Every structure is written in structure tokens, then in C-alpha cells.
Amino acid sequence: MNIKNLKIPFTLLNRNKQVDLDLSDYPLFYYKNKNAQQDNIRYCVRILYWAGMVGYGTNHKEAFLKLQESFETYKANNAYLPKPWERKEFEFASNERLLKYESFAVDFFDKILCMDFYSGFFSDGSCLDMFYCDYSNDKKKKIERGVIDKVKSTYGVDIQEIYDSPLPDLFKFIIDNKKS
């Protein structure tokens, strides 16, 4: 680890802080991802000891702002905020609702996405748009149109209005409106 890239706040002061922790209270590590093939993820800033709390950008400032946005989102949606000196293990999102539709998901992934459902991890918050995040907006619109048309021809259901919904909601909609 390159020490010059490490920003450590004065943790003795932070140790007495019980609430209202801010990003400035956490040790941050700035680095450049030399293997990045996209400019928008070349620079990174992460909170040490907190797996997954990372910001990416075209420069360190942009990466820091993304990290700050993620931190604030986490803070707003979680009752407990790890202390700056605690290890925060990586947490997977729940997939409990999605697995209620597992047999349909297997069929959908095979027929619509030409993928094996078991080849990755998909959570209750996963959406179809996430499968195509690396494409330009024009390409994404063409893919979206193709998926909508394929679902309509395969299951007889128009999903245009709910295309951006999480997969469990999408699957429930298709199952409830499917023409037998």
C-alpha cells in the first residue's frame, strides 16, 4: 500500500463519536486502477476496512464525489453505521423475493436473455437495465425494445410500462398476465 495515498482522520477524536459520522471521519484510500478499460472507472477512492464502499470516476475528485453519494445513501437507508475502525464485510443484497419465482426466472433467463440464471447473483433489486449498463443509450434502447418484443412474443405480455421494475415485480407481472 502506498502511504501517500492514504488519508486517515484523527481516530481518537472519532472514537468518542457515537452518531452523525461523516465520510471525513473514515480512512480513505485513493488509487488508480491501471487495468480499467473504461475511463469512468480508472480512478478510485474507497473506505478502508469497508468492503464495497468505493467510488469510481475519471479523476480522484469525481471518484470521491461518487463515494460520498454512496456513503450518504447507505447512511440514509441503514440504522447502523460502522465505526471508522471497524471492519465492514461485504453484504449481498437479498434475493428472497426473486427466488420465489426461481423456476420462472430460469425459463426467462434462458428464453429472453439467453443466459443461465445460475451463472450469476441476482438480487431482489436487480433490473433488466443492469444487464446492459456498459452500452451507449442508443444501444440500450434497441436492446430494451428487443427484450420487450421477445417477452411479448414468448409470454404474450407487454412489459413496456414496467421494464425498469425489479425482476421479482417483473416476473410477477408476467406470470399474472400471461396468456396460457
Side-chain angles (χ1 to χ4, degrees):
M1 183 181 324
N2 189 346
I3 298 299
K4 73 176 184 171
N5 294 333
L6 191 59
K7 305 283 188 222
I8 301 178
F10 191 63
T11 55
L12 291 177
L13 291 176
N14 296 343
R15 196 173 279 279
N16 296 327
K17 215 172 182 182
Q18 298 299 316
V19 291
D20 294 331
L21 289 167
D22 293 313
L23 187 57
S24 62
D25 295 315
Y26 290 83
L28 303 180
F29 183 66
Y30 291 76
Y31 60 101
K32 185 174 179 180
N33 183 354
K34 296 173 186 161
N35 297 322
Q37 296 182 6
Q38 296 170 244
D39 287 338
N40 64 334
I41 60 170
R42 192 163 314 278
Y43 291 87
C44 312
V45 181
R46 70 180 182 92
I47 297 177
L48 287 181
Y49 312 120
W50 190 338
M53 190 55 73
V54 182
Y56 300 99
T58 56
N59 55 50
H60 280 122
K61 182 177 181 179
E62 186 178 307
F64 176 81
L65 292 174
K66 298 272 184 173
L67 173 63
Q68 191 169 32
E69 184 180 311
S70 296
F71 179 81
E72 292 302 327
T73 300
Y74 183 91
K75 188 175 174 180
N77 292 303
N78 292 276
Y80 178 77
L81 201 56
K83 303 298 182 229
W85 54 88
E86 290 178 333
R87 269 195 194 283
K88 175 76 170 113
E89 300 299 326
F90 191 77
E91 290 179 40
F92 284 100
S94 171
N95 64 350
E96 190 176 312
R97 287 183 53 229
L98 182 62
L99 291 179
K100 288 180 183 177
Y101 303 102
E102 183 175 0
S103 62
F104 182 79
V106 169
D107 185 67
F108 182 90
F109 271 64
D110 181 46
K111 291 178 179 172
I112 306 301
L113 303 175
C114 301
M115 293 175 64
D116 177 9
F117 176 71
Y118 299 109
S119 68
F121 175 80
F122 309 102
S123 75
D124 293 342
S126 296
C127 301
L128 290 173
D129 194 41
M130 294 176 176
F131 292 91
Y132 311 107
C133 59
D134 290 342
Y135 295 107
S136 68
N137 284 339
D138 290 342
K139 178 88 170 165
K140 282 167 99 170
K141 286 294 178 195
K142 287 179 186 174
I143 292 170
E144 180 179 332
R145 183 77 255 152
V147 169
I148 290 169
D149 291 345
K150 206 169 186 181
V151 169
K152 195 169 195 173
S153 68
T154 304
Y155 300 110
V157 178
D158 184 0
I159 62 165
Q160 185 167 349
E161 296 298 316
I162 62 155
Y163 178 84
D164 294 326
S165 298
L167 291 178
D169 298 336
L170 184 72
F171 294 160
K172 181 178 181 348
F173 181 83
I174 294 170
I175 292 166
D176 289 349
N177 293 288
K178 186 166 64 166
K179 297 177 177 125
S180 301

